[in-house]
Amino acid sequence: MKAAIVGVTGYTGIELIRLIQQHPYLTLGSIHRSENETVELSDIYPHLSGLNALIETFDAKKIMEKNDLVFFATPAGITKDLVAPFVEKNFLVIDLSGDLRLRKQELYETWYQRPAAEEQILDQAIYALPEFVDKKGNLLSNPGCYATATNLLLAPLVKNQVIDLESIIIDAKSGLSGAGKKLTQSSHYVNVAENMSMYKLNKHQHIPEIVQFLQQWAPNLQHLHFTTSLIPVKRGIFISAYLRLAANQSMEEVKQAYQQAYQDQPFVRMQPVNQLPQLQQVIGSNYCDIGFAYNETTKILTVVAVIDNLIKGASGQAIQNFNLWAGLPQTTGLMQLPIFP
Amino acid sequence: MKAAIVGVTGYTGIELIRLIQQHPYLTLGSIHRSENETVELSDIYPHLSGLNALIETFDAKKIMEKNDLVFFATPAGITKDLVAPFVEKNFLVIDLSGDLRLRKQELYETWYQRPAAEEQILDQAIYALPEFVDKKGNLLSNPGCYATATNLLLAPLVKNQVIDLESIIIDAKSGLSGAGKKLTQSSHYVNVAENMSMYKLNKHQHIPEIVQFLQQWAPNLQHLHFTTSLIPVKRGIFISAYLRLAANQSMEEVKQAYQQAYQDQPFVRMQPVNQLPQLQQVIGSNYCDIGFAYNETTKILTVVAVIDNLIKGASGQAIQNFNLWAGLPQTTGLMQLPIFP
Amino acid sequence: MKAAIVGVTGYTGIELIRLIQQHPYLTLGSIHRSENETVELSDIYPHLSGLNALIETFDAKKIMEKNDLVFFATPAGITKDLVAPFVEKNFLVIDLSGDLRLRKQELYETWYQRPAAEEQILDQAIYALPEFVDKKGNLLSNPGCYATATNLLLAPLVKNQVIDLESIIIDAKSGLSGAGKKLTQSSHYVNVAENMSMYKLNKHQHIPEIVQFLQQWAPNLQHLHFTTSLIPVKRGIFISAYLRLAANQSMEEVKQAYQQAYQDQPFVRMQPVNQLPQLQQVIGSNYCDIGFAYNETTKILTVVAVIDNLIKGASGQAIQNFNLWAGLPQTTGLMQLPIFP
Amino acid sequence: MKAAIVGVTGYTGIELIRLIQQHPYLTLGSIHRSENETVELSDIYPHLSGLNALIETFDAKKIMEKNDLVFFATPAGITKDLVAPFVEKNFLVIDLSGDLRLRKQELYETWYQRPAAEEQILDQAIYALPEFVDKKGNLLSNPGCYATATNLLLAPLVKNQVIDLESIIIDAKSGLSGAGKKLTQSSHYVNVAENMSMYKLNKHQHIPEIVQFLQQWAPNLQHLHFTTSLIPVKRGIFISAYLRLAANQSMEEVKQAYQQAYQDQPFVRMQPVNQLPQLQQVIGSNYCDIGFAYNETTKILTVVAVIDNLIKGASGQAIQNFNLWAGLPQTTGLMQLPIFP
């Protein structure tokens, strides 16, 4: 099947190219960006010379003629303007931007600070965290990177009412590729290397996404405390969660909740009890590794989840969603081992 | 005045040398390590060639003859064996190891997993966090790096009963120099760069040190939840604290508590409300920068404190303690600005 | 076909595992190391949990019974002791250690400072730089990482007598994985990050390997000036070469020499004239990218070659050698695009 | 004495502030930049809060009234427009930009690609490499960072005719702070970390500066081969030089040339023969460390020089020039030891 990518010059766009190259049933149909002129992909990314790929301007009709599906790897605010013709034709769209993740327009407008997509489009969009999605459809909204790791960490515990919902504290860290390729002082090498900083405190747009996702099991959940920091790495998300158990719950229930949720899931690797994953053990792969330990003295459960933000947190998960849609095994084309060192 | 350093080849030892060189009233009297042969310092550290300093073997009597004070920059477990002759003569000792920090032997033995110093020595040791110390004496125990930043962050809030003691959650991160120069797989470059990992979960020896320090204002405090992670930087500690306010307390009290504690303290720089410090803004200096913000929705107060672990977290603070002991302004020889970039 | 790996816990060993997983015709038969106890691979490398692979002790007979070929990913000095039974049975061996690269025992003993393999084994070993190998055989010696990049850079110029052989100066840089996982002060994170250092000056064991390889076209070549430096990266080799043209040679001949050598070679990507490759444009791939520019004023030709030391400089090239041996397209299982960012 | 800084928000500007704070005879009089509004320094650099320094607009007359000297830490192209009133009044100017380094206007215009300063200003400017300057004056042009290290490496050898001038090949590497704080794709963290790249090949503006400096001893020298690469560090310059000895010269003459040049120079530390300096052994200090080794086989002399580009390569050297001008010991306020780790 042929896939188009819109917004190919961002980091998730070129990661999609890399993964599609390794997929047995997908080939790259055409690649696009919003600028008006066509340009060689290798002019922007010399590491991709050899592909001889030409970036074309956006043209919905042509894309549908030449492809079987389209990935939107666009920044927030673009998809909502471009997606309508595809939805109309019920053409498979997998959207990696945040535009279709929040079901309510006002929520999007509050957190993204820009106009939301039309309601009828939002109504059709399916929030597609592959380990938990249960609907089928042709408009798939790929979860955000922080939200993917946090949701995988929290969902089994919330679903099984193992934890006190009021107690959730998430200290999330991301590498620089999570912030995209825009040039800002905070992405300049000398401001990143040997540094660490917290940003968007209490304002990160993945907060309502996580809350909305968890509300399917905890309708009363209104918020969680979630902070985001930059660490000096290129790739990777490291989530530390601090949680209190609900009444009458113990480590046994924690263990069972995770086991039940992930024993048949190929991309979530539970660590042995009391062993926490390191960031680098997932980099280069579609894995989410999760470990936990309980402190008998403080009564706090520490849980750590790690992902490669560009793979399980974006492009790998988009391929995983395609696999599910196409009825393929989830792992098709995605079983690359992590890269170490 | 002449200072000796015992344990000069560790990172805090050579940092002491660097700071003593810039101090107007201190000169380096002699330097020592436990090995039996003498050796040129520059054979181990070429960056210190030019000092022409010879590392001598340890000899308490000679050290006291040739010096006015001694810094112990030894690993845990060494000071307790070497310090007795100095204590006997009431010779000024500033100890940077952890051996004299915990007042109770059994606590030390539980957390450090080795025999404790003798009780009469522990009884004389003063836990010397300069911003809060109120005793005088000749046996000063310099706080640990994590403990320094965490204590400075928590003390004003605990002292003024601003926060709910049961709610304290500390997510602490450190660079590699905090782990010392011992060679382990976890300090190999390929295991650190582009990685992050949590270690010693619920077992870090600074936990009882922080609890003991805070008990002066909160005698019922028995524990706090405190995790430690390695981030890929050489220097620096970044503390994220998540706290709930006590009943009837508000941001106003938070602000006042910090203001009262630090308005006359030259090395603690409070950030404007809602502005959090970055790690690099203290590196190379003796500053501890603290910032905080309150989330009205989750009712959680986020506080961030940053220090250079080898300066404010070790050798700079040791000099600061010397200054106080000697009746000098705290800032003597310590006003180097942070290094950026 | 089933492949065994001996020396699986080194960086080239686990890279072989990663690449074999992506190869359509190779599967992992068994993995081995010299220690006496068997152990789970994931106990050493948590990122490889999921493979459920058991590291066995070395047993040549069993290896041959269960596999179709064996990769030696051992440190220097091991292969020569273990390889004899395989050679005897004419079983396919691809050796990634340096033991079989130098044809003359005394040369090996001078540069490696240890006893050489037996002469009859060295006589059968084929130095297998895939772009230039023209022999077939079952004992393949995979080139060294520095040597691979340097040979690919120099071979076309030397073969076509484009450059003055006496002028060759190579300034080579490597990331830390090139030095292996042994723990030394020079691999400790604080000694690598924000540092650069030259090492093994005039003594690197890849010097005679390069000279020996080039002597097939330049029998009088006796030496070249070759320095090696460590740069703070995990993976990658960056070669800067400074060369003078031979009499009557010009940029046209340079261009033709490279074109002729590599126009049909899938893994060497020549850059447009005057454009030099960056290191990261090959990381994660089996590519060697080469660029050059001539300075009319100084009459010096600058050539830069970059490779991923663990792929084209080791395990990827070993697979490429297998592909050639098996009559498969060179690119089989090796077309992964570079990873960026 | 009071010093003004013009162009205070660049990296060399804030490094001047840091060093002036540690100088016993210098205080910061006023700081300036070209923008029209005044602004708090700590708004731009939070690590400098506590200085309470206000950045003022540029006003030559006021600067001279309130200060005893002025440092220009401006980008190329600014000094030449602002410096005239100071030169007219014979007010001490130490210029860190490149505007006054090349004596000939056409040379500047060729290499900097912008209009040069007026001839009468260039005539008065003294190229002030402190170890070799022999003139006095009030218009001092501080050497460039690459040029400082390269000149210190080459000058003794060229002055004493130890090397073959035609053979000089310099492979120079720099950290990111050398490129300034301008935002470009090449300074984005993900394009720097784990990468290395050569840039401005054969076009770096420090080439004519080095040639002009060396011509005082070698009037026929017209060029040298000099390449510049970015390595993933924040600070530091690492120069590798490859040189052939002149006829009848030997290592003895190399050693003597360096000894004679630097035995009384406090900031150049010659390494023992055959020992090469590492980059980090000078970071944080005003030292230039130089080491060399000769290869008997290739007849090439390898010399390595390392500096901290912002200290010996810029602001530290500017202070050193002030010290010399003021008749102070060169080392006044500059004896900070390198920072390690």
Side-chain angles (χ1 to χ4, degrees):
Chain A
M1 294 179 70
K2 281 192 175 177
I5 303 173
V6 178
V8 76
T9 61
Y11 297 153
T12 57
I14 54 170
E15 189 71 355
L16 274 169
I17 290 181
R18 194 175 71 83
L19 295 171
I20 287 171
Q21 287 290 102
Q22 299 181 48
H23 196 283
Y25 304 119
L26 277 178
T27 57
L28 202 57
S30 59
I31 57 178
H32 308 264
R33 60 172 185 171
S34 46
E35 274 83 349
N36 263 331
E37 2 126 60
T38 61
V39 63
E40 277 288 336
L41 178 59
S42 62
D43 288 352
I44 302 175
Y45 291 114
H47 74 281
L48 296 177
S49 78
L51 285 184
N52 295 323
L54 198 71
I55 309 177
E56 303 171 48
T57 57
F58 176 83
D59 180 331
K61 208 175 143 210
K62 274 199 189 163
I63 289 175
M64 288 189 275
E65 280 167 16
K66 289 168 56 181
N67 294 280
D68 301 293
L69 72 152
V70 62
F71 293 101
F72 277 89
T74 41
I78 308 287
T79 298
K80 70 170 181 51
D81 294 334
L82 303 182
V83 80
F86 301 93
V87 177
E88 212 168 280
K89 301 278 186 192
N90 204 25
F91 188 86
L92 176 58
V93 172
I94 301 179
D95 178 41
L96 286 81
S97 88
D99 282 9
L100 309 180
R101 292 183 198 145
L102 299 179
R103 279 193 297 267
K104 293 186 189 152
Q105 287 186 318
E106 58 279 21
L107 211 53
Y108 181 90
E109 286 168 4
T110 301
W111 289 87
Y112 283 78
Q113 298 282 311
R114 59 179 81 229
E118 283 175 40
E119 253 180 62
Q120 63 173 63
I121 284 176
L122 292 180
D123 287 349
Q124 292 181 61
I126 294 170
Y127 184 77
L129 184 65
E131 284 73 12
F132 290 95
V133 76
D134 52 7
K135 276 186 272 186
K136 291 262 173 186
N138 285 336
L139 183 56
L140 302 178
S141 174
N142 217 51
C145 50
Y146 280 123
T148 294
T150 306
N151 284 339
L152 290 173
L153 185 159
L154 289 175
L157 304 178
V158 170
K159 186 179 176 186
N160 292 284
Q161 297 169 299
V162 179
I163 55 167
D164 172 2
L165 294 177
E166 284 300 306
S167 76
I168 303 172
I169 286 175
I170 308 284
D171 184 306
K173 300 91 179 171
S174 174
L176 265 283
S177 63
K181 68 176 197 176
K182 223 179 112 191
L183 299 177
T184 62
Q185 278 300 336
S186 62
S187 66
H188 189 296
Y189 182 77
V190 306
N191 291 317
V192 178
E194 304 289 313
N195 195 14
M196 174 169 182
S197 57
M198 211 178 262
Y199 69 105
K200 279 198 191 180
L201 184 62
N202 302 326
K203 287 184 185 148
H204 200 286
Q205 69 276 12
H206 290 181
I207 296 175
E209 179 181 338
I210 298 164
V211 170
Q212 172 188 284
F213 174 76
L214 296 174
Q215 282 172 338
Q216 64 185 292
W217 303 291
N220 294 329
L221 183 74
Q222 292 305 319
H223 51 74
L224 47 74
H225 197 72
F226 181 86
T227 64
T228 46
S229 297
L230 281 179
I231 53 171
V233 304
K234 295 168 91 157
R235 284 182 180 231
I237 280 180
F238 187 104
I239 307 284
S240 314
Y242 303 104
L243 311 165
R244 289 176 194 275
L245 300 183
N248 301 321
Q249 298 292 303
S250 71
M251 277 290 271
E252 195 48 40
E253 279 81 17
V254 173
K255 207 171 146 182
Q256 279 175 21
Y258 280 123
Q259 199 167 9
Q260 185 189 352
Y262 299 131
Q263 63 190 351
D264 298 328
Q265 287 296 345
F267 290 123
V268 181
R269 298 190 297 192
M270 292 306 302
Q271 307 294 295
V273 175
N274 290 322
Q275 191 176 309
L276 303 177
Q278 300 196 5
L279 180 53
Q280 71 184 358
Q281 73 185 52
V282 295
I283 300 303
S285 81
N286 199 50
Y287 288 120
C288 175
D289 284 3
I290 301 178
F292 57 89
Y294 186 63
N295 184 329
E296 292 286 350
T297 310
T298 63
K299 311 291 182 202
I300 304 277
L301 177 70
T302 301
V303 194
V304 170
V306 290
I307 60 167
D308 182 321
N309 58 305
L310 295 179
I311 305 183
K312 183 59 180 165
S315 307
Q317 184 148 275
I319 303 282
Q320 191 183 352
N321 274 318
F322 163 76
N323 287 341
L324 284 173
W325 178 92
L328 296 168
Q330 282 189 70
T331 53
T332 310
L334 281 177
M335 282 307 282
Q336 298 86 350
L337 293 172
I339 290 190
F340 174 80
Chain B
M1 294 180 70
K2 282 192 173 175
I5 303 173
V6 178
V8 75
T9 59
Y11 298 152
T12 57
I14 54 171
E15 189 72 356
L16 273 169
I17 291 180
R18 195 176 70 83
L19 294 170
I20 286 172
Q21 287 291 103
Q22 299 182 50
H23 197 283
Y25 304 119
L26 277 178
T27 57
L28 202 57
S30 59
I31 56 178
H32 307 267
R33 60 171 184 170
S34 45
E35 273 84 350
N36 263 331
E37 2 127 61
T38 59
V39 63
E40 278 287 337
L41 178 60
S42 61
D43 287 352
I44 301 174
Y45 291 115
H47 75 280
L48 296 177
S49 77
L51 284 184
N52 295 323
L54 198 70
I55 308 178
E56 303 171 46
T57 56
F58 177 82
D59 181 330
K61 209 177 141 210
K62 273 199 192 162
I63 289 175
M64 287 188 275
E65 279 167 17
K66 289 168 59 181
N67 294 280
D68 301 294
L69 71 152
V70 62
F71 293 101
F72 277 89
T74 41
I78 309 287
T79 298
K80 72 171 180 50
D81 294 335
L82 303 181
V83 80
F86 300 93
V87 177
E88 212 168 282
K89 301 278 184 192
N90 206 24
F91 188 86
L92 176 58
V93 172
I94 301 179
D95 179 42
L96 285 81
S97 87
D99 281 9
L100 309 180
R101 291 181 198 147
L102 299 180
R103 278 193 298 266
K104 293 184 189 154
Q105 288 186 318
E106 58 278 24
L107 211 54
Y108 181 91
E109 286 168 4
T110 301
W111 289 87
Y112 283 80
Q113 299 282 312
R114 59 178 82 227
E118 285 176 40
E119 252 181 63
Q120 62 174 64
I121 284 176
L122 292 180
D123 287 349
Q124 292 180 60
I126 295 170
Y127 184 77
L129 184 65
E131 283 74 12
F132 289 94
V133 76
D134 51 7
K135 275 188 274 186
K136 290 264 173 185
N138 285 337
L139 183 56
L140 303 178
S141 175
N142 218 51
C145 51
Y146 280 123
T148 294
T150 307
N151 284 340
L152 290 172
L153 185 159
L154 289 176
L157 304 178
V158 171
K159 186 180 177 185
N160 291 283
Q161 299 171 295
V162 180
I163 55 167
D164 172 0
L165 293 177
E166 285 300 305
S167 76
I168 304 173
I169 286 174
I170 307 286
D171 184 306
K173 299 94 180 170
S174 173
L176 265 284
S177 62
K181 68 176 197 175
K182 224 179 110 191
L183 299 178
T184 62
Q185 279 300 335
S186 63
S187 67
H188 190 297
Y189 182 79
V190 307
N191 291 317
V192 177
E194 302 288 315
N195 195 13
M196 175 169 181
S197 57
M198 213 178 262
Y199 69 105
K200 280 198 190 178
L201 184 63
N202 302 327
K203 287 184 187 149
H204 200 285
Q205 69 276 13
H206 289 182
I207 296 174
E209 179 182 339
I210 298 164
V211 170
Q212 173 187 282
F213 173 75
L214 296 174
Q215 281 172 339
Q216 64 185 292
W217 303 293
N220 295 328
L221 184 73
Q222 293 306 320
H223 52 73
L224 46 74
H225 198 72
F226 180 86
T227 64
T228 46
S229 298
L230 281 179
I231 52 172
V233 305
K234 294 168 93 158
R235 285 183 180 230
I237 281 179
F238 187 104
I239 308 285
S240 313
Y242 304 104
L243 312 165
R244 289 176 194 275
L245 299 183
N248 301 320
Q249 298 292 302
S250 72
M251 275 292 269
E252 195 47 38
E253 280 80 18
V254 173
K255 208 172 148 182
Q256 279 177 19
Y258 279 124
Q259 198 167 12
Q260 186 190 347
Y262 298 131
Q263 62 191 350
D264 298 328
Q265 287 297 343
F267 290 123
V268 182
R269 299 190 296 192
M270 292 305 304
Q271 307 295 292
V273 176
N274 290 323
Q275 191 177 309
L276 303 177
Q278 300 196 6
L279 180 54
Q280 70 183 0
Q281 74 186 51
V282 296
I283 299 304
S285 81
N286 199 49
Y287 289 120
C288 175
D289 284 2
I290 301 177
F292 58 89
Y294 186 64
N295 184 329
E296 293 286 351
T297 310
T298 63
K299 310 290 183 201
I300 305 275
L301 177 69
T302 300
V303 193
V304 170
V306 289
I307 60 168
D308 183 321
N309 58 305
L310 294 179
I311 305 183
K312 184 60 178 164
S315 306
Q317 185 147 275
I319 302 281
Q320 191 183 352
N321 274 318
F322 163 77
N323 287 342
L324 284 173
W325 179 91
L328 296 168
Q330 282 189 70
T331 53
T332 309
L334 282 177
M335 284 307 283
Q336 299 86 349
L337 292 171
I339 291 190
F340 174 82
Chain C
M1 292 179 69
K2 280 194 176 174
I5 303 174
V6 178
V8 75
T9 60
Y11 297 153
T12 56
I14 54 170
E15 189 71 357
L16 273 169
I17 291 180
R18 195 175 70 83
L19 294 171
I20 287 171
Q21 287 291 103
Q22 298 181 50
H23 196 283
Y25 303 119
L26 278 178
T27 58
L28 202 57
S30 60
I31 56 178
H32 307 268
R33 61 171 183 170
S34 46
E35 273 83 350
N36 263 331
E37 1 127 61
T38 60
V39 64
E40 277 287 337
L41 178 60
S42 61
D43 287 352
I44 301 174
Y45 291 115
H47 74 280
L48 296 177
S49 77
L51 284 184
N52 295 324
L54 198 70
I55 308 178
E56 303 172 48
T57 56
F58 177 82
D59 180 331
K61 207 174 143 211
K62 274 199 190 162
I63 289 175
M64 288 188 274
E65 279 166 17
K66 290 168 58 182
N67 295 280
D68 300 293
L69 72 152
V70 63
F71 292 102
F72 277 89
T74 41
I78 309 288
T79 298
K80 71 171 179 53
D81 293 335
L82 303 181
V83 80
F86 301 93
V87 177
E88 213 168 281
K89 301 277 186 194
N90 206 23
F91 189 84
L92 177 59
V93 173
I94 301 179
D95 178 41
L96 287 80
S97 87
D99 282 8
L100 309 180
R101 290 182 199 145
L102 299 181
R103 278 193 298 265
K104 294 185 188 152
Q105 287 186 319
E106 58 278 22
L107 210 54
Y108 181 90
E109 287 169 5
T110 300
W111 289 86
Y112 283 79
Q113 298 282 314
R114 60 178 82 228
E118 285 176 38
E119 253 182 62
Q120 62 174 63
I121 284 176
L122 292 181
D123 286 350
Q124 292 181 59
I126 295 171
Y127 185 78
L129 184 65
E131 283 75 11
F132 290 95
V133 76
D134 51 7
K135 277 187 272 185
K136 289 266 175 184
N138 285 338
L139 183 57
L140 302 178
S141 174
N142 218 49
C145 51
Y146 280 122
T148 294
T150 306
N151 284 339
L152 290 172
L153 186 158
L154 288 176
L157 304 179
V158 170
K159 185 179 177 186
N160 292 282
Q161 298 171 295
V162 179
I163 55 166
D164 172 2
L165 294 177
E166 285 299 306
S167 76
I168 303 173
I169 286 174
I170 308 285
D171 185 306
K173 300 93 180 170
S174 173
L176 265 284
S177 62
K181 70 175 195 176
K182 222 178 110 191
L183 298 177
T184 61
Q185 278 300 335
S186 63
S187 67
H188 189 295
Y189 181 79
V190 306
N191 292 316
V192 177
E194 303 288 315
N195 195 13
M196 174 169 182
S197 57
M198 212 178 263
Y199 70 105
K200 280 197 190 177
L201 183 63
N202 303 326
K203 288 182 185 149
H204 200 286
Q205 68 276 13
H206 289 182
I207 296 175
E209 180 181 339
I210 298 164
V211 170
Q212 173 188 283
F213 174 75
L214 296 175
Q215 280 173 339
Q216 64 185 292
W217 303 292
N220 295 327
L221 185 74
Q222 292 307 319
H223 52 74
L224 46 72
H225 198 72
F226 181 85
T227 65
T228 47
S229 297
L230 281 179
I231 53 172
V233 305
K234 294 168 91 156
R235 284 181 180 230
I237 280 180
F238 187 105
I239 307 284
S240 313
Y242 304 105
L243 311 166
R244 289 176 195 275
L245 299 184
N248 301 320
Q249 299 292 303
S250 72
M251 277 291 270
E252 193 49 39
E253 279 80 19
V254 173
K255 208 172 148 182
Q256 279 176 21
Y258 279 124
Q259 199 166 9
Q260 185 190 349
Y262 299 131
Q263 63 190 350
D264 297 327
Q265 288 297 344
F267 291 123
V268 182
R269 300 190 297 192
M270 291 306 302
Q271 307 294 294
V273 176
N274 291 322
Q275 192 177 306
L276 303 177
Q278 300 196 4
L279 180 54
Q280 71 183 359
Q281 75 185 51
V282 296
I283 300 303
S285 81
N286 198 50
Y287 288 121
C288 175
D289 284 2
I290 301 177
F292 58 89
Y294 186 63
N295 184 329
E296 293 285 351
T297 309
T298 63
K299 310 294 183 200
I300 304 276
L301 176 71
T302 301
V303 193
V304 169
V306 290
I307 60 169
D308 183 320
N309 57 305
L310 294 179
I311 305 182
K312 182 60 179 165
S315 306
Q317 185 148 275
I319 303 282
Q320 191 182 351
N321 275 317
F322 164 76
N323 288 341
L324 284 173
W325 178 92
L328 296 168
Q330 282 189 69
T331 53
T332 309
L334 283 177
M335 283 307 283
Q336 299 86 349
L337 292 172
I339 291 191
F340 175 81
Chain D
M1 295 179 70
K2 282 193 174 175
I5 303 173
V6 178
V8 75
T9 59
Y11 297 153
T12 58
I14 54 170
E15 189 71 356
L16 273 169
I17 291 180
R18 195 176 69 84
L19 295 171
I20 286 171
Q21 287 290 103
Q22 299 181 50
H23 196 283
Y25 304 118
L26 278 178
T27 57
L28 203 57
S30 60
I31 56 178
H32 307 266
R33 59 171 186 172
S34 46
E35 273 84 349
N36 263 331
E37 2 128 59
T38 60
V39 64
E40 278 286 338
L41 178 60
S42 60
D43 288 352
I44 301 174
Y45 291 114
H47 75 281
L48 296 176
S49 78
L51 284 184
N52 296 323
L54 199 70
I55 308 177
E56 302 172 48
T57 57
F58 177 81
D59 180 330
K61 210 177 141 208
K62 274 199 190 163
I63 288 175
M64 287 189 274
E65 279 167 17
K66 290 169 58 180
N67 294 280
D68 301 293
L69 73 153
V70 62
F71 292 101
F72 277 89
T74 40
I78 309 288
T79 298
K80 71 172 181 50
D81 293 335
L82 302 182
V83 81
F86 299 93
V87 176
E88 212 169 282
K89 300 277 185 192
N90 205 25
F91 188 86
L92 177 58
V93 172
I94 301 179
D95 178 42
L96 286 82
S97 88
D99 282 9
L100 309 180
R101 290 183 199 146
L102 299 180
R103 278 194 297 268
K104 294 186 187 151
Q105 287 187 319
E106 58 279 21
L107 211 54
Y108 181 90
E109 286 168 5
T110 301
W111 288 87
Y112 284 79
Q113 299 281 313
R114 58 178 83 227
E118 284 176 39
E119 254 182 61
Q120 62 174 66
I121 284 177
L122 292 181
D123 286 348
Q124 291 181 59
I126 294 171
Y127 184 77
L129 183 65
E131 284 74 11
F132 289 95
V133 76
D134 51 7
K135 276 188 272 185
K136 289 264 172 185
N138 285 337
L139 183 57
L140 301 178
S141 174
N142 217 49
C145 51
Y146 281 123
T148 293
T150 306
N151 284 339
L152 290 172
L153 186 159
L154 289 176
L157 304 179
V158 170
K159 186 181 176 185
N160 292 284
Q161 297 170 296
V162 179
I163 54 167
D164 171 1
L165 294 178
E166 284 300 307
S167 76
I168 304 173
I169 287 175
I170 307 286
D171 185 305
K173 300 92 180 170
S174 174
L176 266 283
S177 62
K181 68 176 199 177
K182 222 178 112 191
L183 299 177
T184 61
Q185 278 300 336
S186 62
S187 67
H188 190 295
Y189 182 78
V190 307
N191 291 317
V192 177
E194 302 288 313
N195 195 14
M196 175 170 180
S197 57
M198 212 177 264
Y199 69 106
K200 279 199 190 177
L201 183 63
N202 303 326
K203 288 183 186 148
H204 200 286
Q205 68 277 12
H206 289 183
I207 295 175
E209 180 183 337
I210 298 165
V211 170
Q212 173 187 283
F213 173 75
L214 296 174
Q215 281 172 338
Q216 63 185 293
W217 302 293
N220 294 328
L221 184 75
Q222 293 305 320
H223 51 73
L224 46 74
H225 198 73
F226 180 87
T227 65
T228 47
S229 297
L230 281 178
I231 53 172
V233 304
K234 294 168 93 158
R235 284 181 180 231
I237 281 180
F238 187 104
I239 307 285
S240 313
Y242 303 105
L243 311 166
R244 289 176 194 274
L245 299 184
N248 301 320
Q249 298 291 304
S250 72
M251 277 291 270
E252 194 48 40
E253 278 80 18
V254 173
K255 210 172 146 181
Q256 278 176 20
Y258 279 123
Q259 199 168 10
Q260 186 189 350
Y262 299 132
Q263 64 190 351
D264 297 327
Q265 286 297 344
F267 290 124
V268 181
R269 299 189 298 192
M270 292 306 303
Q271 308 294 295
V273 175
N274 289 323
Q275 191 176 309
L276 303 178
Q278 299 196 7
L279 180 54
Q280 72 183 358
Q281 73 185 53
V282 295
I283 300 304
S285 81
N286 199 50
Y287 288 120
C288 175
D289 285 1
I290 301 177
F292 59 90
Y294 186 64
N295 184 329
E296 292 287 348
T297 309
T298 63
K299 311 292 181 201
I300 304 275
L301 176 70
T302 301
V303 194
V304 169
V306 290
I307 61 168
D308 182 321
N309 58 305
L310 294 179
I311 305 183
K312 184 59 180 164
S315 306
Q317 185 148 275
I319 302 283
Q320 190 183 353
N321 274 317
F322 164 76
N323 287 342
L324 282 174
W325 178 91
L328 295 168
Q330 282 190 69
T331 54
T332 310
L334 282 178
M335 283 307 283
Q336 299 87 350
L337 292 172
I339 291 189
F340 175 80

